[in-house]
Amino acid sequence: MTEQRGNFGSKLGAILATAGSAVGLGNIWRFPYMTGENGGAAFILIYIICVLLLGIPCMLGEFIIGRHGASNTYRAYSKLSEGKAWKYVGLLGVVTGFLITGYYAVVAGWCLQYIFATVMGHLNGTPQYYIDYFNDFSTNPLRPIFWTAVIIGITHFVIVHGVRGGIERASKLLMPTLFVLLLVIVVASCMLPNASQGIRFLFYPELDKLNSEVFLGALGQSFYSLSIAMGCICTYASYFSRQTNLTTSAIQIGIIDSIVAILAGLMIFPAAFSVGVNPDSGPSLIFITLPNVFQQAFGGSSFVGLIISLMFYTLLSLAALTSLMSLHEVSTAFFYEELHISRKKGAVIVTISTLIIGAICSLSLGEWNFLSLSGKNLFSIFDFVTGQIFLPLGGFLTCIFLGWYVPKDILKSEFTNWGTLKGTFFGIFLFLIRFVCPISILAIFLHQFNII
Ligand code: PFF
C-alpha cells in the first residue's frame, strides 16, 4: 500500500528546502573561481542574466511539472504526457539525481572529515602538508567511505522523517545557520589586511575577458547551481501547496542562490589575496588552498583560526547536506511510489545503493584506480556523464516538452494557480521556454564537444 504523500507545511519551508537544494558545493567551490577568472563583475552580470532568463524559467517549468503531477519525477512527466515516451525524460531526471547522489556524498563526507581534522588540530602545516594530507586522505580505502556513510546516514535520518517532519524541519534549521556562518566568515575575511585586492579581483569588471566560452560557462553554472534537470526541483514542487506562487518562488530561490554564490566569493578571495595565495577551483580550492589560506590569515593554531576553519567546514557540510537531501528524495519518491512500498523502504534502497556507488567512486581515487576510462577516473566520469550529458539533455527535452507538447491551458492554470493570480509574465515565460532556453542549452551542449 502506498502511503499518503507528504507536503511542505509552510511557504517559508518550501522556499528554504528548495533553496537548500540549490545552495551547495557548486556555489562555494565553482562560482567564486569562475567569476575571478572570467571577468569579475562582468561575469556576475552575465551569470545573473542567465539565472533570470534561463535558470528561473526552467525552474518554473519544473515546478509546473512537479506540482501538476504531485508524484515522483518519472510519474509527473508520465501524467502530463498521458504515458507517452516523455515519461523517459522524467526517468532521466531520476537517474541523473540518483547517480549524482553517490559521488556528491563522497565530497560531502570529505567536508565532515575536515571538521574532524580541524577539531583534532590536524589542519596545521606547510602548504605542501595540505596537499599531502588531502591526497593521503582521499585515496585512503576506508576513511572517506566511513565519512560518506556518516553523511548518507544523516541524510537518511532526515528523509525517513518525511517531507514536513524531516526535509522542511531540517531546512528551516540548517539554512539560517548556513547564512549566519557565511556572513561571519565574510566579515572576518574582508577585515584582513589587503582584503580589498580580493574584493577588486571579484568585482572589477574586465570586459575584455568576455567571450563565448564565458557565456556558456555562466549558463552551465547557473543550471548546476539551481539544481535544474536532475529531478530535485520537480520532486520538491510535487510537495508544494496549491497556493504557492510558483513564479515568485522561483525568483526568490534564484536570488538566494546567487547571493550565496557572491558571498562565497567574498569569503574566499579577500582571505586568499590577503596572504598572497592564488585561489584555484574545485576540490583543491576547498581542501588544499583554503585550509592553508585560513591558517596563514588567521593563525592555524590560534583560537580564531580554529573557529574560522571549523565554521567553514561546517558551512560546507550543511550546504552539501541540504543538496544531498534533495537528491536522495528524488530517488526515494521514485522507489516508494513506483514499487508501492513504504517511504522508509524506498529510503533504505536509495541509502544502500548510493553508499555502494559512493564507495566505488571513492575507491576509484585510490586502490581501485584501474576503474578508469581514457585517463578519467570513475569520479570524473560520473561528473562528466551527469553534468555534461544528462543535465543538458534533460533540460533541453524538458523545455521542448513544456513549450511544444503540454497544452498551454494546463501550463497557464498552474502558472496562475487556477486563475487566482494575474499571470502577467506568462507570455514571457512561454517565449523563453519555447525558444530561448532550448536554443541556449543546445548551444552549451554542442560547444563542449567543439561542434560549434
Ligand atoms: N545545486 C547544487 C550545488 O550548487 O552544489 C548541486 C546539485 C544539487 C545539483 C542537487 C543537482 C542537484 F539535483
Side-chain angles (χ1 to χ4, degrees), residues 207-238:
L207 294 173
D208 53 318
K209 281 201 179 161
L210 294 184
N211 54 37
S212 62
E213 301 265 327
V214 174
F215 272 89
L216 298 169
L219 180 56
Q221 171 68 14
S222 67
F223 272 56
Y224 182 81
S225 193
L226 292 173
S227 309
I228 283 164
M230 315 241 185
C232 293
I233 299 299
C234 190
T235 306
Y236 272 12
S238 73

Side-chain angles (χ1 to χ4, degrees), residues 321-377:
L321 176 63
T322 49
S323 296
L324 211 47
M325 278 159 26
S326 70
L327 287 163
H328 196 296
E329 181 61 27
V330 174
S331 313
T332 299
F334 173 77
F335 282 120
Y336 89 77
E337 285 175 359
E338 296 309 313
L339 301 181
H340 304 288
I341 52 178
S342 69
R343 179 180 174 83
K344 213 174 195 163
K345 280 197 188 135
V348 170
I349 297 178
V350 180
T351 298
I352 295 177
S353 42
T354 49
L355 193 53
I356 296 172
I357 297 179
I360 297 174
C361 276
S362 179
L363 285 168
S364 78
L365 294 178
E367 294 204 349
W368 289 11
N369 57 11
F370 54 85
L371 287 178
S372 62
L373 205 72
S374 55
K376 275 188 173 189
N377 60 37

